[in-house]
Amino acid sequence: MFSTSIRSTLLTTGLATALVVGGFYHVRLVGHYQAEITDLKNQLEMLSPADSAGVGPDAIASLIGNLKLVPSGEAGNTGNAVPDNWIYGAATARYTLVEMTDTECPYCREHFPLLKGLIDSSGGHINAALLHVPAHGEASRNQALAIECAGEQGGSEAAWKYAESVFQSTPSNGKGVSGSLTSLATTLGLDGKRFAGCLDSIEAVDRVKADLDQALTLGITQTPSTLVVDNQTGQSLVLQGAHASRDGILQALEGLSGQSKGANHE
């Protein structure tokens, strides 16, 4: 089996636990999220599995609309604009692969280099964005925070390098990395003190929670999953589990391209 189900995992551990990360074991955070936790649990319970399906335009508009550009000079950016979902590849690419991933998922670890390879060989026609679905306990939740903090400090390049380092460092299945997440950041040239402070911020938790919320809205029940978006037409497909293979993604791209050509001839 290529994928791992997130439905039972999240329902068992509880979304409240998923949001209580690092030093936030206190009443204020739990109270702040209580209504949203209940709403998300209700959404998750109503989800029906879908291995490959089109996504409604409202959901796409919401998700892609959240790939906001950070002005030059912010978020560690040294020139180009940086999106809050950390784009890998050309910002002008026609296709975006939104990778819904869990760094403690062994199948996600296999999928990550496959995705990067597609981007690197696309000649600028495909890019990718990260969306966290941290279903493997505390380790994956803390790692999702850490990726966000790497991006906050060093932009998209740092976020993707950090995610790659985590995948290379963990044996998966919730076992976590052997060293500290801050030490991993410093080996990539990031400021350890600033990074540690970010891990203890509500802002980082908010970003990870927003990703999980979007994944639930899209009906994601497995990791890895890939949302394939044609930025030219707005058409899209969600590929879950084994359907998110290299061939599956290429077939989805071909299908979306064919839809575009068909529409142009009408």
Side-chain angles (χ1 to χ4, degrees):
M1 184 177 180
F2 184 75
S3 62
T4 181
S5 172
I6 66 169
R7 180 200 300 266
S8 59
T9 302
L10 288 180
L11 288 177
T12 300
T13 60
L15 285 175
T17 303
L19 295 174
V20 181
V21 184
F24 286 99
Y25 290 94
H26 52 74
V27 174
R28 186 168 70 89
L29 182 66
V30 175
H32 176 70
Y33 285 125
Q34 194 56 54
E36 294 171 283
I37 292 169
T38 301
D39 289 342
L40 286 174
K41 287 179 69 177
N42 291 338
Q43 291 177 44
L44 187 60
E45 289 165 354
M46 290 188 294
L47 287 179
S48 57
D51 287 332
S52 178
V55 181
D58 290 343
I60 291 298
S62 174
L63 180 59
I64 300 302
N66 283 331
L67 300 180
K68 299 174 182 176
L69 297 178
V70 179
S72 177
E74 295 184 19
N77 185 28
T78 57
N80 297 322
V82 179
D84 60 5
N85 280 70
W86 317 124
I87 292 292
Y88 180 78
T92 57
R94 172 173 174 176
Y95 300 100
T96 294
L97 307 179
V98 182
E99 179 76 345
M100 287 162 272
T101 191
D102 176 353
T103 46
E104 284 295 312
C105 159
Y107 309 107
C108 298
R109 181 173 62 182
E110 296 172 5
H111 198 254
F112 191 79
L114 176 155
L115 187 79
K116 288 190 67 181
L118 282 174
I119 308 306
D120 293 339
S121 62
S122 74
H125 294 290
I126 309 172
N127 63 26
L130 290 174
L131 198 73
H132 302 291
V133 187
H136 278 77
E138 184 178 1
S140 61
R141 294 190 291 270
N142 286 339
Q143 289 161 13
L145 281 176
I147 292 168
E148 287 300 307
C149 290
E152 181 273 333
Q153 189 174 147
S156 294
E157 182 179 3
W160 279 80
K161 283 184 176 179
Y162 195 94
E164 185 172 42
S165 295
V166 171
F167 276 124
Q168 293 172 349
S169 303
T170 177
S172 300
N173 290 315
K175 296 178 181 177
V177 299
S178 57
S180 74
L181 295 173
T182 299
S183 295
L184 189 60
T186 59
T187 63
L188 297 176
L190 300 175
D191 183 315
K193 184 176 181 180
R194 177 178 168 183
F195 183 87
C198 175
L199 290 177
D200 286 336
S201 69
I202 287 181
E203 289 78 14
V205 175
D206 281 342
R207 292 196 294 271
V208 173
K209 179 199 167 292
D211 279 7
L212 178 58
D213 194 0
Q214 290 177 331
L216 296 179
T217 298
L218 292 173
I220 300 306
T221 60
Q222 302 176 69
T223 57
S225 289
T226 304
L227 172 65
V228 185
V229 181
D230 184 339
N231 296 310
Q232 179 175 300
T233 67
Q235 297 294 316
S236 66
L237 286 171
V238 170
L239 306 175
Q240 298 202 51
H243 293 275
S245 65
R246 183 180 185 277
D247 287 344
I249 292 173
L250 291 175
Q251 289 172 10
L253 291 169
E254 183 178 358
L256 291 173
S257 175
Q259 290 179 26
S260 173
K261 291 177 182 178
N264 290 335
H265 285 88
E266 290 180 357

